[in-house]
Amino acid sequence: MLKDIESAYRTIRVWPEPTGFGAEISGLDLSRPMPPETLAEVKAAWARHGVVAFPDQPLSLDALEAFTLQMGAFGDDPYVKPMAGRPNVLELRREPDETASNFGAGWHSDWSFQDTPPAATILRSEVIPPVGGDTLFCDATRAYEALSPTMQAMLAPLQAIHSAVRPYGPQGSYARETAARTLQIISSKDAEASRTHPLVRTHPVTGRKALFISPVYTIGIEGLTEREANAILGLLFKHMVQDAFVYRHHWRAGMVLMWDNRCTAHLAEGGYDGHLRLMHRTTVAGDAPV
């Protein structure tokens, strides 16, 4: 398999995880614009592996934004205050003395409650704590493909209901916090809105189908009672995050990570109380799920 993957790329080196979900890419300097052939190979590797890491990339914020724009237009990041003068960059800073939960602590696909959720999220590590702080990703494509044909047929016509109300609503988890948080969260009544997306989403590049749901943002299934929807969603949530479908990403300082929100969900682990953790994040605009 490794030989086949290596032969697919001419200008970059791709080191995939054993399952093929998750890969590290070397042979690049992301501080400079990529030529068309290299950009095409990076995009192909990202679509193929879902999560791609670029080690040893000491990017300035200008360079991070420029790399993001090579992947596509900026996505919209609601409910979190961006950096001053950088409307498309979030600074994810957690100070050593903070006791609030780490940002992104539940399984989710970024901003799936939007009409057009972001295709990619890009995260650049600045300060990595000596313990904790891993990011876990589940392969929603292989999770779907492991379901029985009968279950796949049952899920095919279903529309999942997505909303930001649980974390970002006026009574959401962030609004109820009492501990101080450096990252500025904006709770809003707008978060009570909901929209539907296909529960099974077809990837626009690979053509493979994936489960497009998450415990944080998926609040029901159109046409089903709450009890019926909870039963189906609860089964699928447990199925998706089995060890067989999960890639655990260990961070190193100066690393850029890019993941595909169209076929993955992720969770940010804590475990680094007493240590500073500092990251910068951008998103790449996507299309309406189909």
Side-chain angles (χ1 to χ4, degrees):
M1 177 180 175
L2 181 58
K3 184 177 180 181
D4 292 341
I5 290 173
E6 286 183 336
S7 66
Y9 306 105
R10 295 176 179 270
T11 66
I12 61 176
R13 297 294 301 276
V14 179
W15 309 96
E17 291 294 306
T19 62
F21 179 59
E24 190 166 293
I25 298 178
S26 60
L28 285 175
D29 178 0
L30 298 183
S31 68
R32 298 184 298 178
M34 288 179 281
E37 181 183 4
T38 299
L39 179 59
E41 290 183 0
V42 167
K43 288 184 175 182
W46 167 53
R48 182 171 189 168
H49 302 293
V51 184
V52 291
F54 306 87
D56 304 319
Q57 299 290 340
L59 301 187
S60 66
L61 292 178
D62 285 343
L64 175 63
E65 290 180 303
F67 169 64
T68 303
L69 289 173
Q70 282 209 282
M71 302 306 298
F74 287 122
D76 175 35
D77 289 307
Y79 307 123
V80 182
K81 188 174 181 179
M83 294 184 70
R86 301 270 182 181
N88 298 299
V89 180
L90 302 183
E91 182 171 82
L92 308 186
R93 174 187 289 268
R94 191 174 189 273
E95 297 288 351
D97 59 351
E98 287 192 41
T99 58
S101 62
N102 55 292
F103 183 65
W107 284 103
H108 63 287
S109 176
D110 285 331
W111 312 143
S112 68
F113 51 83
Q114 295 178 329
D115 289 333
T116 54
T121 300
I122 299 171
L123 196 57
R124 163 79 164 83
S125 57
E126 299 290 342
V127 179
I128 298 301
V131 294
D134 288 350
T135 305
L136 277 62
F137 294 90
C138 75
D139 185 345
T141 299
R142 285 192 299 124
Y144 168 78
E145 291 172 350
L147 295 172
S148 68
T150 300
M151 177 63 79
Q152 291 177 358
M154 185 191 78
L155 299 178
L158 299 182
Q159 295 284 314
I161 303 170
H162 296 251
S163 174
V165 64
R166 289 172 178 167
Y168 298 111
Q171 304 302 318
S173 55
Y174 287 116
R176 298 195 305 271
E177 284 185 336
T178 56
R181 179 185 291 276
T182 301
L183 185 67
Q184 296 186 48
I185 305 294
I186 305 168
S187 298
S188 171
K189 191 170 178 62
D190 292 345
E192 295 177 346
S194 65
R195 53 192 46 78
T196 61
H197 294 306
L199 193 150
V200 177
R201 179 176 186 172
T202 301
H203 196 282
V205 177
T206 67
R208 296 173 71 187
K209 295 181 178 181
L211 297 171
F212 191 60
I213 53 174
S214 74
V216 171
Y217 294 135
T218 307
I219 63 172
I221 299 175
E222 191 173 56
L224 299 188
T225 66
E226 182 178 5
R227 185 174 182 180
E228 291 167 342
N230 287 344
I232 293 172
L233 291 173
L235 183 152
L236 294 176
F237 293 154
K238 290 180 180 179
H239 172 72
M240 291 170 62
V241 299
Q242 294 179 83
D243 289 346
F245 306 130
V246 171
Y247 160 60
R248 174 180 291 271
H249 180 72
H250 302 289
W251 286 94
R252 304 193 297 273
M255 175 176 277
V256 172
L257 190 70
M258 179 169 66
W259 61 87
D260 194 328
N261 288 298
R262 300 166 294 189
C263 58
T264 72
H266 62 280
L267 175 151
E269 279 196 338
Y272 49 91
D273 288 356
H275 302 281
L276 172 67
R277 187 174 189 262
L278 176 60
M279 323 284 275
H280 289 109
R281 195 183 101 164
T282 58
T283 56
V284 177
D287 300 316
V290 296

